[in-house]
Amino acid sequence: MGSSSTRICLAALVAIAALHAQDWVVFPHPGEGAREQLTRRLDEAGQRLLRERARSVAALRTREEAERRQRQVREKILRLIGGLPAERPPLNARDLGTVDRGDYRFEKIIYESLPGFYVPANVYTPARGRPPFPAILMPVGHSPGGKEGERETAVGLARKGFVVLKYDPVGQGERLQYYDPDLRASKVGGPTQEHSHANAPMMLIGDNLARYRIWDGMRGIDYLLTRKDVDPNRIGCTGCSGGGTLTTYIAALDERVKAAAPACYITSWEQLLEKLGPQDAEQTFPRFLVEGLDIADMVELFAPKPYLIASTIEDFFPLEGARQTFEEARKFYALFDARDRLEWFVGPGPHGVPLESREAVYEFFIRHLNNGEGDPREEPAELDPPENILCTQTGQVSDSLGGETLFTLNRKRGLALAAARPAVRTAEEVSALKTRLTQAVREVAGVRLGPGGAPPEIRVHRQAVRPDYTLQLVSFEVERGVSVTGLLFLPLAQGVKPAVLAVDRRPKETLAAGSDLESLVKAGNLVLLIQPRGTPEVPPPGVPNLVGDFALAFRAALIGESLPGIRTEDVLRAVDYLASRPDVDATRISGYGVGQPGVYLLHAAVVDDRIRRVVLERAPAAYRLALERPIHRHLYEIAVPGVLSRYDLDDLILALHPRPVRVINPVDLLERPLRLAEYRQLCATVFESSKRLGAPERVAVLYRGRQPLSRFFE
């Protein structure tokens, strides 16, 4: 095989003409697959960060130290979500009528949390008692019906003398962000898919969906404070699941909340990583763990005010994590002489708010916001049909009122970051650009490895001899215990050869059966094909979705890494291997990226000058397309948090000058073909710069058709 670094680990290799498809899979069982390897590595890194954080929190000894940490934590959380809007524009609240149910009433209102960003809500009010009443902001969980969910709690609190505001979160109830009026449903899926889909473009500009969800709740408090029947000094907050998440966030960041009771959310990241993994988009902030944070920090931000953690014994949010958070937060509260103000209630049953938990919440708020006056026992209530609580004529803001969406709001914030860059005019400007982007790729994408490292040892798992080449199934470790798998095409001709590194996520069994890579081998190239780390060797069964591998992407983001950064390192290590082979001309190594892996190849080529030519086929054209078009596919596979504040994909192409780049059949972020003229207009700065630098043909955008792949490497 022509390399002293190649280690054949099989007792014997039998050359055969063909093998079964499953013979081209290195990890045949899901429990030991490529995705599981990477997940384990990311989780281990996260657990190390959590242990470091736990030691720093345990070292707190005084109230002054605790208050200093509160200030630091608040600053970090606000920074990680992209901050909150600087101004509070008019709410323009609309009163759409009241329904009287005897011992309580509910009103239908719509307010604007931002101009034109409409929030339908119900306000439950007591039928008895003397105002002003204590008030409860009640964000809800991830139910498709939005404010329709958990109404028993709202009715129960209103009967006991509280004004309760329940509103539709974005992506739920009357606020679907991707509503199709013909289907009368979301184009992208349920609430979690709506949230995760909307969050991906926000991630590109350094924001998180949580900034908008928190702001909706804070503006809900603004609305409550406009009401004469609400006591501004007695505001509480409670919600379950996703509503428990928002209760946790809003209580941590809005000082007007005087008592908080999140239900079925509080756990710990130590337990989440071990048992459940990242959940909804707004529940996972990039860099959260590397910044030294955990869920307990948001509980501790509320100290010394009254706080009730409500859990259930069979919740999918790990109960052990709730215990860990409660015990740590009690010690934190003790630094304020307020240990007894933090409580924990565990109700029966699965995820939700059973009667026992609701009554615990009633008792908590009666005690802390209503001078202990009231009976926490719940009386049965008959709830209105869902259509009775709707606030819009059609049941959806989008076709009743129009206005802003998460997409349009993010587009406005992102346009300044994604503004067109001026053309590069000189070689010195190119050099400066490459230096800046190399640093940005390392800092933003989290690329830790550099080119020129010790070449990895290649393990050969299978081999087949074909008429013009030998085909090997190979793998190599990028880091301990985490392997990249691929195919090695070795021409039968002797001597030193050019090499092509191909990066492709398609199953190796498909490519081994016969692919256009053969034309490169027949043209005299040694070809190494790799599947990026974490890519399942066999596509998992199930219905394809638009969001993609959100959980893996956010596992990386939590610890300050990214999937593009991780997979860029795969490319760098593969180039190290190719450059070390005595039968490879290290001055003639080309890169070929297919689909989304073309993004990883581009990042690697900026860092590594040994990649002398780049060919991209069906690769995404630009990150900023996520600001221009609302629907995208598997954006988390290529998303880098905050990337558009530093660079876009065409900037990377520009920085490769004078190396040639061939862009074949480019696609948008929905993986639909772009017209060649459309691509040239989108990336006009690249073509204008190449012209000014005296190399107008350096970057070519081409349509392939049936032409052999080898033509684009000439």
Side-chain angles (χ1 to χ4, degrees), residues 100-105 125-128 155 158-161 379-381:
D100 192 330
R101 288 293 174 249
D103 53 355
Y104 73 95
R105 307 180 185 92
T125 61
R128 297 182 295 271
V155 170
R159 285 170 156 181
K160 298 176 190 311
E379 296 294 330

Side-chain angles (χ1 to χ4, degrees), residues 43-107:
D43 286 351
E44 288 172 353
Q47 298 289 11
R48 286 194 297 272
L49 292 168
L50 287 165
R51 289 193 292 271
E52 292 173 10
R53 175 203 167 272
R55 286 192 291 270
S56 66
V57 173
L60 299 174
R61 293 290 182 268
T62 67
R63 177 168 182 157
E64 290 73 21
E65 291 174 342
E67 289 175 340
R68 181 164 57 249
R69 181 170 178 86
Q70 285 179 319
R71 292 191 294 271
Q72 294 169 346
V73 167
R74 178 183 174 86
E75 182 277 328
K76 288 180 179 180
I77 291 173
L78 288 171
R79 173 164 45 83
L80 294 181
I81 66 173
L84 293 171
E87 299 180 357
R88 282 180 154 85
L91 289 165
N92 297 326
R94 310 180 189 186
D95 185 347
L96 302 170
T98 300
V99 177
D100 192 330
R101 288 293 174 249
D103 53 355
Y104 73 95
R105 307 180 185 92
F106 67 88
E107 305 168 16

Side-chain angles (χ1 to χ4, degrees), residues 140-410:
V140 298
H142 290 101
S143 62
K147 62 185 177 298
E148 175 190 337
E150 304 152 40
R151 281 186 288 160
E152 297 92 344
T153 306
V155 170
L157 285 165
R159 285 170 156 181
K160 298 176 190 311
F162 294 84
V163 174
V164 182
L165 174 64
K166 290 181 92 267
Y167 61 95
D168 279 331
V170 287
Q172 298 170 241
E174 299 179 73
R175 294 181 78 193
L176 295 185
Q177 299 296 290
Y178 302 96
Y179 182 67
D180 186 323
D182 294 323
L183 296 175
R184 299 183 69 184
S186 170
K187 299 172 186 176
V188 302
T192 296
Q193 285 72 32
E194 281 250 337
H195 296 171
S196 296
H197 197 85
N199 180 73
M202 296 177 190
M203 187 175 173
L204 297 177
I205 68 170
D207 286 356
N208 183 277
L209 173 67
R211 87 180 293 267
Y212 295 99
R213 298 203 63 191
I214 292 167
W215 190 244
D216 285 345
M218 287 183 167
R219 298 312 313 275
I221 295 176
D222 289 346
Y223 168 77
L224 286 172
L225 297 184
T226 67
R227 296 178 62 104
K228 294 181 179 179
D229 58 350
V230 168
D231 184 342
N233 297 311
R234 293 188 289 163
I235 303 294
C237 189
T238 190
C240 177
S241 190
T245 306
L246 283 173
T247 297
T248 304
Y249 294 171
I250 294 166
L253 298 175
D254 195 323
E255 295 181 353
R256 298 172 297 180
V257 179
K258 304 303 181 185
C264 283
Y265 163 68
I266 298 295
T267 184
S268 70
W269 269 106
E270 185 258 324
Q271 287 289 299
L272 279 175
L273 292 179
E274 180 180 326
K275 298 177 180 177
L276 198 61
Q279 296 297 294
D280 201 80
E282 77 270 12
Q283 295 174 334
T284 315
F285 305 158
R287 296 189 58 81
F288 190 75
L289 300 186
V290 81
E291 291 282 357
L293 299 175
D294 199 355
I295 293 170
D297 281 299
M298 288 183 277
V299 177
E300 291 158 5
L301 264 182
F302 203 66
K305 294 181 286 186
Y307 205 98
L308 171 67
I309 298 171
S311 305
T312 54
I313 195 70
E314 299 173 23
D315 192 7
F316 57 76
F317 281 112
L319 190 63
E320 172 61 16
R323 183 194 64 77
Q324 292 172 351
T325 293
F326 172 68
E327 291 185 353
E328 180 193 296
R330 282 193 79 190
K331 295 175 182 176
F332 193 92
Y333 263 68
L335 298 176
F336 294 81
D337 294 323
R339 184 183 182 93
D340 293 339
R341 291 189 181 180
L342 178 66
E343 305 171 40
W344 183 29
F345 178 84
V346 181
H351 188 73
V353 192
L355 174 63
E356 294 85 349
S357 295
R358 295 198 298 273
E359 291 183 342
V361 169
Y362 302 152
E363 191 278 332
F364 172 79
F365 284 128
I366 287 170
R367 180 158 34 97
H368 290 289
L369 295 181
N370 205 33
N371 299 316
E373 298 175 3
D375 185 348
R377 291 174 296 180
E378 181 181 284
E379 296 294 330
E382 184 175 345
L383 302 178
D384 276 69
E387 59 265 27
N388 286 10
I389 67 173
L390 296 178
C391 302
T392 61
Q393 290 183 348
T394 64
Q396 285 296 322
V397 165
S398 62
D399 58 359
S400 291
L401 302 172
E404 302 280 9
T405 64
L406 290 172
F407 168 72
T408 61
L409 293 172
N410 187 66

